[in-house]
Amino acid sequence: MSLDLDKRQRAMLREMGVRLWQPLPAMPVSLATPALPVASGVEIAINKIAVDAKFERATARFDESSRPAAVPAAPGSLQSTGLSARPAGIDQMDWSALQSAVAGCRACRLCESRRNTVFGVGPALPAQAAVAPPVDWLIVGEAPGENEDLAGEPFVGQAGKLLDNMLQAMKLQRGEAGVAASPAGAAMSNRVFITNVLKCRPPANRNPEPAEMAQCEPYLKRQIELLQPKVILALGRFAAQSLLQASVPDVQKIPLGKLRGRVHRYLGVPVVVSYHPAYLLRSLPDKAKAWDDLCLAMDQIRS
Ligand code: SF4
């Protein structure tokens, strides 16, 4: 076919999506190499359309035959809501499996708006470590906020800075291991792990809902079983309620102030209740009470 097309023909081919290639300028033909037949620009373009069409038909068939038949979700089922049940066997998981389970969890609505799950932070471990880091202190807050959701780490905003200062006052540091002298002069362990009751951020930093806390609680329980801390510091109302629900009747109705000042137990581990750092940022007079709580927790470590 000749490429000698007029303007109207070229416009029509353009409309059809046919691209035209100009033939290469004639090259001197080598005496040693026989000349190959060269297709014209239009032939190449039309052949390409034919090949594309065949490919599309072939892939369409492949897609149809390989796609599993869709199973309609039963109305009201977890699947129909886009959620899925928690993985089975959380109480048998090792540290690495637990981390993976939290990272992929879709057991409550919070998975829909989170950017990251927030498992917790503590002494560094090799990747995929099956064994939890050795810790002495476990600090449990309520839920990730906006900064924590973005960073995937608990307590990183203003409240996090205050918590770091509180830790520093006790010669503790997040993510570090070592031994420091306690204010009383005795050697004191200072390995800290920090986490929250909920591993995903509630939208607009609203309070955790009871159903969300119930869904997430097995993860915290397994963290505590694996970490085996010497003391747990429960910061805020929801952390206290989650950890004391089995040991303090009607704990939801008891003001936080009345849960402070004594040592509770969770799985045999001493639990000291204190104010959440976000609350302390707004209520400076209660910082002195928070220091009393930290001293009570330090007594548990020492003893
Ligand atoms: S908050 Fe807890 S239960 Fe809900 S999706 Fe996140 S990890 Fe799962």
Side-chain angles (χ1 to χ4, degrees), residues 136-260:
D136 306 288
W137 294 77
L138 175 63
I139 297 177
V140 181
E142 297 181 351
E146 185 178 11
N147 295 319
E148 290 79 11
D149 179 47
L150 281 170
E153 184 175 327
F155 287 100
V156 293
Q158 285 305 311
K161 279 192 190 140
L162 178 56
L163 176 63
D164 286 343
N165 289 341
M166 291 161 65
L167 293 174
Q168 222 169 11
M170 296 189 289
K171 306 259 194 292
L172 303 177
Q173 199 177 341
R174 71 165 68 201
E176 290 294 327
V179 177
S182 74
M188 187 178 67
S189 314
N190 67 351
R191 294 167 297 191
V192 184
F193 193 89
I194 306 172
T195 189
N196 284 305
V197 173
L198 292 185
K199 311 305 184 201
C200 304
R201 180 195 179 202
N205 295 352
R206 65 159 167 75
N207 286 337
E209 291 179 355
E212 293 158 356
M213 288 172 60
Q215 279 297 336
C216 220
E217 199 263 340
Y219 296 126
L220 177 62
K221 181 167 181 274
R222 188 60 184 156
Q223 282 180 311
I224 294 171
E225 286 169 347
L226 292 170
L227 288 164
Q228 298 188 0
K230 292 186 180 136
V231 68
I232 300 173
L233 195 57
L235 299 181
R237 183 161 57 105
F238 294 102
Q241 288 176 1
S242 178
L243 291 166
L244 305 184
Q245 57 185 322
S247 59
V248 178
D250 290 329
V251 68
Q252 288 80 1
K253 297 180 186 160
I254 303 176
L256 185 85
K258 292 214 158 71
L259 295 168
R260 293 181 47 252

Side-chain angles (χ1 to χ4, degrees), residues 78-102:
L78 258 185
Q79 194 189 356
S80 72
T81 63
L83 304 180
S84 49
R86 269 193 322 259
I90 290 175
D91 57 348
Q92 302 296 318
M93 286 180 179
D94 65 21
W95 192 248
S96 160
L98 189 63
Q99 281 181 300
S100 302
V102 168

